[in-house]
Amino acid sequence: MANHRADREAVVEKALAALDLDTRCRLLAGQDMWSLPAVADIGLASVVMSDGPIGVRGVHWGPEDPSITLPSPTALAATWDPPLARKAGQLLAQEARRKGVHVLLAPTLNLHRSPLGGRHFECYSEDPLLTGAIGAAYVTGVQEGGVAATPKHFVANDSETDRFTVDVRVSQRALHELYLAPFETVVEQAEPWALMAAYNSVNGVTMTEHNALQNEILRARWGFDGVIVSDWTAARNTVGAAVGGLDIAMPGPQSVFGRALAEAVRAGHVPAETVERMTRHVLRLAARVGALAGTPPEVVTLPATINGDALAHEIAQRSIVLLRNENDVLPLGKVGRIALIGQTADQPRALGGGSAQVFPSHTVAPLDGLRAVLDADTELVYAVGADPRVKIPAAKEGFELRVQLYGSGDRLLGEHPLPEAAIEWIGEFPDGIAVGELHRVVVTGTFTPRATGTHTLAITGIGPFRLTVGDAICFDDRIVPQGDPLAAFLRPPEMPIDIELTAGQQVSVNLTHTMTTMPELPIAFAKFSLGHQDPNIDPEALIEEAVAAAAAADVAVVIVATTPEVESESFDRASLLLPGRQDELVARVAAANPRTVVVVNTGSPVQMPWAEDVAAILLTWFPGQEGGAALADVLMGRAEPSGRLPTTWPADQDDAPVLNVTPTDGALSYAEDIYIGYRAWQRLSTAPAYWFGHGIGYTTWQYETAAFAPDPEAGALGTLTVRVRNTGDRPGRETIQTYIAHSSRPDRRLAAFAVVRAEPGETAEVAIPIPRRAAESWDETTETWVQPTTAYDLLTGRSVADIRLTTAIELEGPHA
């Protein structure tokens, strides 16, 4: 390996020496939305990047090239299983190679600082140790597949409000112990080949220009030798970004690097040696991913091919958390009639919105999953109950549509089938159509209504639109965004239009969008949709129908969910309440049937005011393409719900210790210091609904012994050997969690964990290394890690609040 690295570096240096200043600077800026330029003279191919924490979008992102869709990162963290995360990374590398992608823009290592964080479904946990462990395994898996991983967003990008400009004010202790910690773990354990600098500022300095964090800590202290790429459009200043540690400014062709950087060097504002170092990082990345001739890629032997559907199913099943199970209502076993209730039982929320969104080839809904496993003796009755969606969904059922792309003079440039009436092209257009060449996009086809009455069509987008249905012009105007244009791009406004239609009577549909530009968003894009909603059904009648179905069933399964309007990228959550009348639906169903099981289909915490009134609660997160099949397995007892909470769930939003996600005068103060998540809850008199680490399964466990063996030579405090016994009548998995506490910090924090499996009556024993960092704190005076005391307790159990074994340990004297 050492020889390979030396040979690779020699090739990199030779290529670097052959490049003049202008070419070097050109390599540091995107040539388009997703790629860097090629240089044929040195054998450098274009390096291609793609979004993709749960599935690889690819450059030409659309339903015609679907993506394996894994469960959300919160779900992956809920497995508490780094080997499973590593396998997920290997699968995504496999997908990236299939799509011609060299660099995967994932994973997201930001923390669940506040339950109101809108993008928390894309982050792992509130705890830096769990986040780092899952993230390091994921990065390892991706790079074992020969694809660069890009941990993001470095650093303190933990909320969405004003995320492009917010200045995060955070103490050095909190910065090091919480927000930098997962990145440090991933850099040291997985050696990522790339890393993404965030939009926000930290303590007054924007991250793309943050010399102290990027050059002094990330590179000099941690030894990171990869590239630092900006979040898209985050680089604002040529000189500041170059000397502050940024290597690549994305996207292109407009960029603060490229020609502007070459001019800054010639003017004496940026040292030529700085550009040389930046270019070396880019060429090293290209060599690692096989895009630089003369040296083999970092990975020559790839992992075995992974079945994407099977792994998506496994992660979804392993991530399900059973919060409550009164009278062992689950698993269901043999039942005569099941009432399945909820709009998302038929149309599940499989994934979160924003840069994590992909197009799966299929999605298994809970309704489909249950139908597939129930025997002929069980009747399954479905009722909508309550539809929580605020915006009208994209037209699909009853529509036969195509999308046509036109240039000037009504010249047809391309045409494709459209499975649903949603267009989202970002960075590049289909068919190789260049920016400026595309003048109009037309969605055209027919619609055959299923019901007679007032149907609602809805145009969602920005710019000029013309909608005709049959012979009628329903809309012909410009839709103008309100407020922040970038936020409007991610959440475009909706224009609803009512129209009278007759069941079975086919009508033609034509929606024409004239291309528009947004100076604030210097990339190619076309993003709009045509929504459809059937004639209104009385919401009260829907709930009454569900209640009647529940009353007549042996068990009622109610699925509740958030919607993209309340939980997605680009905005924080205003409330932890479920949208619409879903809480009322659950309460009324539970009153009608004491055997009510609630399935929560959300990416992060929600309030559950009915929690004590239902028999069982399952969390499925955003479960990916196989979520319905995995849920059916767990409901029917074909698999165990072995997930554990990666973040604390409050009973009431007002009780949560950290709620501030809105900047004041451009700054967001992390006034809570190190006390977020369970660390903060331990200081309160009010307990959360469910603690970090909580989760019960279908079997029971006895914690028998825990013995500590110090081993300072191994770079850790030592090893804790724990033995547990499966005392139930089913095989199962247990997540053993060890927390550490000492006299100067009575509150506990996660020190280590391990997942074990055992058959009924069997024991499982595991040796868990306890890292030295678990006993250390950041000293702001000396700017070093220190061990405050020698006396510690290792607290081992099933959650941060459910401790079964206490092991007192005595370490060597405190040291800096």
Side-chain angles (χ1 to χ4, degrees):
M1 179 60 73
N3 288 339
H4 170 69
R5 289 184 179 178
D7 292 344
R8 180 196 68 206
E9 291 301 304
V11 172
V12 167
E13 293 302 319
K14 181 180 178 181
L16 179 61
L19 300 177
D20 60 21
L21 174 64
D22 292 301
T23 307
R24 290 179 179 184
C25 293
R26 186 160 56 88
L27 286 178
L28 306 178
Q31 65 178 347
D32 51 33
M33 181 69 171
W34 299 114
S35 69
L36 299 178
V39 181
D41 291 347
I42 61 169
L44 177 65
S46 177
V47 174
V48 178
M49 310 178 193
S50 172
D51 279 324
I54 63 163
V56 183
R57 282 182 167 185
V59 173
H60 305 293
W61 179 48
E64 66 277 2
D65 184 17
S67 306
I68 292 290
T69 305
L70 299 179
S72 64
T74 43
L76 186 59
T79 70
W80 289 61
D81 193 339
L84 191 59
R86 182 175 178 177
K87 194 173 181 182
Q90 291 176 344
L91 172 64
L92 293 175
Q94 177 180 300
E95 280 282 279
R97 295 193 307 272
R98 180 178 68 83
K99 294 194 173 195
V101 169
H102 302 103
V103 180
L104 187 67
L105 302 171
T108 302
L109 300 181
N110 303 115
L111 297 184
H112 297 177
R113 172 181 168 263
S114 165
L116 294 178
R119 200 176 179 179
H120 282 351
F121 61 87
E122 195 181 318
C123 311
Y124 291 126
S125 170
E126 69 188 24
D127 182 79
L129 187 142
L130 178 59
T131 295
I134 298 296
Y138 177 105
V139 168
T140 297
V142 171
Q143 296 187 168
E144 285 174 335
V147 174
T150 313
K152 62 183 187 180
H153 308 82
F154 189 73
V155 64
N157 187 179
D158 309 294
S159 54
E160 294 294 284
T161 304
D162 296 342
R163 65 174 175 149
F164 299 105
T165 57
V166 63
D167 180 16
V168 173
R169 307 288 176 84
V170 56
S171 74
Q172 290 300 310
R173 183 182 178 190
L175 187 61
H176 283 81
E177 291 189 17
L178 295 181
Y179 304 104
L180 287 172
F183 289 93
E184 181 180 10
T185 297
V186 170
V187 168
E188 292 183 348
Q189 294 184 7
E191 299 182 4
W193 303 340
L195 184 140
M196 182 183 290
Y199 290 112
N200 58 283
S201 297
V202 172
N203 295 330
V205 182
T206 189
M207 275 310 306
T208 53
E209 303 172 25
H210 211 304
N211 177 71
L213 292 176
Q214 295 188 139
N215 286 329
E216 296 176 11
I217 290 180
L218 177 61
R219 290 201 184 278
R221 186 178 298 168
W222 298 350
F224 176 71
D225 70 349
V227 300
I228 302 177
V229 58
S230 73
D231 205 338
W232 267 228
T233 73
R236 302 172 177 91
N237 181 278
T238 299
V239 176
V243 301
L246 191 70
D247 295 312
I248 301 172
M250 292 295 289
Q254 300 178 45
S255 172
V256 299
F257 286 170
R259 181 179 301 173
L261 181 56
E263 292 174 354
V265 173
R266 292 190 174 101
H269 301 311
V270 175
E273 294 79 8
T274 298
V275 170
E276 179 179 295
R277 183 171 61 249
M278 296 161 69
T279 310
R280 180 179 294 112
H281 295 153
V282 172
L283 292 174
R284 182 181 294 142
L285 171 67
R288 282 169 159 163
V289 299
L292 182 62
T295 181
E298 188 86 3
V299 177
V300 177
T301 303
L302 297 172
T305 300
I306 297 173
N307 183 307
D309 292 348
L311 183 58
H313 186 128
E314 180 183 6
I315 295 172
Q317 180 259 302
R318 293 275 307 280
S319 71
I320 294 175
V321 181
L322 179 60
L323 293 179
R324 176 181 173 88
N325 193 19
E326 295 299 295
N327 301 316
D328 294 330
V329 67
L330 292 177
L332 295 179
K334 198 76 173 178
V335 290
R337 178 183 293 174
I338 299 173
L340 181 62
I341 298 165
Q343 179 266 330
T344 47
D346 182 39
Q347 300 176 54
R349 190 158 187 211
L351 68 164
S355 61
Q357 184 177 354
V358 293
F359 293 97
S361 61
H362 67 275
T363 301
V364 181
L367 184 58
D368 300 325
L370 274 172
R371 282 172 174 164
V373 300
L374 292 178
D375 58 35
D377 296 331
T378 301
E379 182 183 2
L380 180 63
V381 178
Y382 171 64
V384 172
D387 189 338
R389 293 175 295 187
V390 176
K391 285 196 171 182
I392 296 171
K396 186 175 182 180
E397 298 295 330
F399 287 80
E400 294 288 337
L401 300 172
R402 300 183 66 79
V403 59
Q404 299 170 332
L405 299 91
Y406 289 93
S408 60
D410 280 341
R411 180 167 56 96
L412 183 63
L413 304 177
E415 184 173 7
H416 303 276
L418 195 63
E420 65 177 37
I423 298 296
E424 189 157 356
W425 301 322
I426 303 175
E428 292 196 15
F429 298 133
D431 304 307
I433 298 171
V435 176
E437 189 180 3
L438 182 61
H439 285 201
R440 291 186 298 119
V441 180
V442 178
V443 173
T444 185
T446 62
F447 173 46
T448 305
R450 294 177 296 181
T452 297
T454 304
H455 291 247
T456 302
L457 300 177
I459 304 168
T460 301
I462 298 169
F465 291 91
R466 179 184 174 93
L467 173 65
T468 61
V469 178
D471 297 328
I473 299 174
C474 301
F475 184 85
D476 190 2
D477 204 348
R478 175 182 289 270
I479 300 177
V480 179
Q482 302 295 320
D484 184 349
L486 290 173
F489 166 73
L490 291 168
R491 290 190 296 160
E494 178 184 72
M495 180 64 65
I497 301 144
D498 290 338
I499 184 170
E500 296 296 323
L501 297 173
T502 303
Q505 184 173 318
Q506 188 181 85
V507 293
S508 62
V509 176
N510 185 292
L511 176 63
T512 298
H513 171 52
T514 302
M515 295 299 296
T516 188
T517 60
M518 290 175 61
E520 303 86 351
L521 197 68
I523 56 176
F525 73 92
K527 180 182 173 73
F528 67 92
S529 66
L530 175 65
H532 169 257
Q533 183 173 277
D534 280 323
N536 287 334
I537 300 174
D538 180 10
E540 179 63 27
L542 289 178
I543 293 180
E544 289 176 355
E545 178 188 14
V547 170
D554 297 303
V555 65
V557 178
V558 185
I559 301 183
V560 296
T562 54
T563 66
E565 291 75 39
V566 299
E567 187 183 12
S568 186
E569 182 181 344
S570 83
F571 59 93
D572 289 311
R573 299 164 68 186
S575 170
L576 298 185
L577 291 172
L578 287 166
R581 297 176 66 179
Q582 293 181 100
D583 285 331
E584 178 187 353
L585 171 68
V586 172
R588 291 171 64 175
V589 167
N593 190 328
R595 288 170 53 83
T596 292
V597 177
V598 181
V599 178
V600 182
N601 177 196
T602 69
S604 48
V606 293
Q607 289 181 208
M608 299 180 289
W610 32 260
E612 297 299 316
D613 301 322
V614 300
I617 303 172
L618 287 166
L619 307 183
T620 63
W621 314 101
F622 295 151
Q625 65 182 46
E626 298 292 325
L631 174 62
D633 286 344
V634 168
L635 287 172
M636 303 312 297
R638 295 155 60 102
E640 184 188 19
S642 58
R644 301 294 183 262
L645 286 182
T647 197
T648 304
W649 280 49
D652 188 278
Q653 174 178 321
D654 293 339
D655 294 333
V658 181
L659 291 173
N660 181 22
V661 293
T662 302
T664 301
D665 297 328
L668 179 62
S669 173
Y670 284 18
E672 69 282 349
D673 199 39
I674 65 167
Y675 295 103
I676 67 169
Y678 68 87
R679 300 171 187 233
W681 280 101
Q682 292 176 95
R683 297 161 59 88
L684 302 179
S685 57
T686 303
Y690 299 101
W691 284 96
F692 174 82
H694 174 71
I696 54 179
Y698 291 160
T699 189
T700 55
W701 296 87
Q702 179 180 340
Y703 280 63
E704 295 187 341
T705 61
F708 178 75
D711 186 12
E713 299 302 320
L717 296 179
T719 301
L720 185 71
T721 301
V722 180
R723 186 174 71 239
V724 297
R725 184 181 300 275
N726 182 348
T727 54
D729 57 4
R730 293 173 56 100
R733 281 188 176 86
E734 176 71 343
T735 299
I736 298 170
Q737 304 164 42
T738 296
Y739 299 83
I740 192 168
H742 58 71
S743 56
S744 63
R745 186 192 293 113
D747 49 292
R748 57 197 64 162
R749 59 182 178 181
L750 185 66
F753 62 91
V755 177
V756 298
R757 191 182 186 281
E759 297 293 321
E762 290 186 348
T763 61
E765 188 171 279
V766 61
I768 311 174
I770 308 297
R772 179 167 296 281
R773 184 61 58 80
E776 295 177 334
S777 298
W778 182 260
D779 186 279
E780 295 186 342
T781 302
T782 62
E783 297 184 352
T784 57
W785 291 98
V786 298
Q787 180 185 304
T789 184
T790 60
Y792 294 84
D793 285 332
L794 295 178
L795 310 168
T796 303
R798 311 196 73 232
S799 79
V800 67
D802 186 359
I803 302 302
R804 304 298 176 90
L805 299 170
T806 299
T807 309
I809 64 174
E810 186 75 23
L811 304 177
E812 296 178 354
H815 65 282

